[in-house]
Amino acid sequence: MWGGIRSKSQSESSERKCEPQRHLIAESWLSRVDLGTSFGSPTVNENLDPPGFTDAGPESFGPGQGLIKTLRRFREQPGSLQEKCEFCGIGLATEHRHLLEVAKNRIACTCSPCALRFQDVVGGRFKLIPRDVRRLSEFDMSDPEWENLALPINLAFFFYSTPQQKMNAMYPSPAGATESLLPLTAWSSLTEKNSALTRMEADVEALLVNRVGTKREYYIVPVDVCYELIGLIRIHWRGLSGGDKVWAEVERFFAKLDTNSCS
């Protein structure tokens, strides 16, 4: 156990309480990907990859970047390119499993047979990203406690990084996921009041917090869901404040998340 986060044992990870029906927004991205380098521009830059996105192959991807790069390829060659399993090369359906390459914090797309080879593996190069979404309807967090986390936006996710041996706090921005310094004392006080946080699986599960406007929503989600949200915001952000559309899309994202969650 590290800072209230534990790695699941074989018996614990095999107890599946619920399964979301599908990845929430990936399919809808295929016809709407906008990865131009200008935050205010609605056009796709056909010649240049955005900062942090290269054609150097999957080893160069950070978290979520491989997902967005694949969607960009679908946009450029609609109907002609099927995503493939990174292990066996078989074509993948829209709904497929993901693995996390822990040391590089890289998400890999895989078929189910290849993904299940990594189920219950402890200390390996790859971790199977789970599919459960759990809403924390009784989550206890006051406004002052949230402010103590010193985040610039009321939307963020938190996960324990095994390589870094610390909690990470990330929030979305037009440029992608941005890391914030997380006061460990603030996180410790939250775990003391919310035991569900001690059952998050290190690296591959996160606490996703939505406190936009009057919302007070808290979920434990697979980490790839967090990067889907990051990509959604990056696609729809316009101008300095994001525009009405991006916040409408965020609200729709959480509505779907809630539908696919269990308590």
Side-chain angles (χ1 to χ4, degrees):
M1 181 179 296
W2 308 276
I5 305 297
R6 67 179 182 179
S7 296
K8 289 186 178 179
S9 66
Q10 180 170 346
S11 60
E12 290 169 335
S13 61
S14 62
E15 296 176 359
R16 314 299 290 175
K17 294 184 179 179
C18 63
E19 293 290 343
Q21 297 174 0
R22 61 189 304 273
H23 284 289
L24 299 174
I25 64 173
E27 184 176 4
S28 66
W29 282 0
L30 299 181
S31 61
R32 294 184 289 169
V33 173
D34 173 1
L35 295 177
T37 55
S38 172
F39 298 154
S41 171
T43 62
V44 175
N45 188 327
E46 300 292 346
N47 300 314
L48 297 175
D49 285 316
F53 291 72
T54 73
D55 289 320
E59 294 299 322
S60 66
F61 298 163
Q65 293 180 4
L67 299 177
I68 298 176
K69 185 176 179 67
T70 296
L71 294 170
R72 183 174 186 265
R73 295 203 308 267
F74 271 102
R75 171 65 179 266
E76 293 170 345
Q77 296 177 284
S80 64
L81 183 63
Q82 183 181 23
E83 192 171 7
K84 297 183 182 299
C85 173
E86 294 189 29
F87 288 83
C88 70
I90 192 173
L92 295 175
T94 301
E95 301 173 34
H96 55 262
R97 300 302 302 267
H98 291 131
L99 298 173
L100 179 73
E101 187 175 7
V102 177
K104 297 182 178 181
N105 204 25
R106 182 182 73 86
I107 292 175
C109 297
T110 67
C111 64
S112 292
C114 287
L116 292 176
R117 291 167 53 196
F118 297 91
Q119 188 170 8
D120 304 323
V121 172
V122 177
R125 176 181 173 185
F126 292 93
K127 277 189 176 182
L128 179 63
I129 297 178
R131 292 182 291 185
D132 297 346
V133 174
R134 304 192 298 278
R135 177 165 185 167
L136 306 178
S137 55
E138 302 298 325
F139 195 80
D140 186 2
M141 185 181 205
S142 66
D143 290 345
E145 285 174 322
W146 174 256
E147 292 167 3
N148 284 340
L149 296 176
L151 295 168
I153 184 174
N154 289 325
L155 195 61
F157 63 96
F158 307 82
F159 66 97
Y160 184 84
S161 169
T162 300
Q164 298 179 30
Q165 297 187 358
K166 71 180 185 73
M167 287 301 305
N168 283 340
M170 311 286 290
Y171 61 89
S173 75
T178 302
E179 184 175 2
S180 174
L181 296 178
L182 175 66
L184 294 179
T185 53
W187 179 259
S188 298
S189 66
L190 286 178
T191 59
E192 290 173 1
K193 298 196 302 179
N194 300 281
S195 61
L197 298 180
T198 67
R199 296 189 290 274
M200 286 199 308
E201 188 174 359
D203 302 305
V204 292
E205 284 191 314
L207 171 68
L208 178 59
V209 177
N210 178 20
R211 293 174 61 94
V212 175
T214 60
K215 299 288 187 181
R216 298 294 183 268
E217 298 175 341
Y218 309 91
Y219 300 87
I220 291 178
V221 300
V223 72
D224 54 356
V225 169
C226 299
Y227 290 110
E228 287 184 3
L229 177 59
I230 295 294
L232 178 74
I233 291 175
R234 183 171 184 175
I235 289 168
H236 294 288
W237 190 280
R238 297 293 181 269
L240 296 177
S241 63
D244 293 339
K245 182 172 178 58
V246 69
W247 299 114
E249 291 291 339
V250 168
E251 186 170 351
R252 182 157 48 188
F253 176 95
F254 277 99
K256 291 181 180 179
L257 189 69
D258 196 65
T259 298
N260 289 309
S261 69
C262 62
S263 301

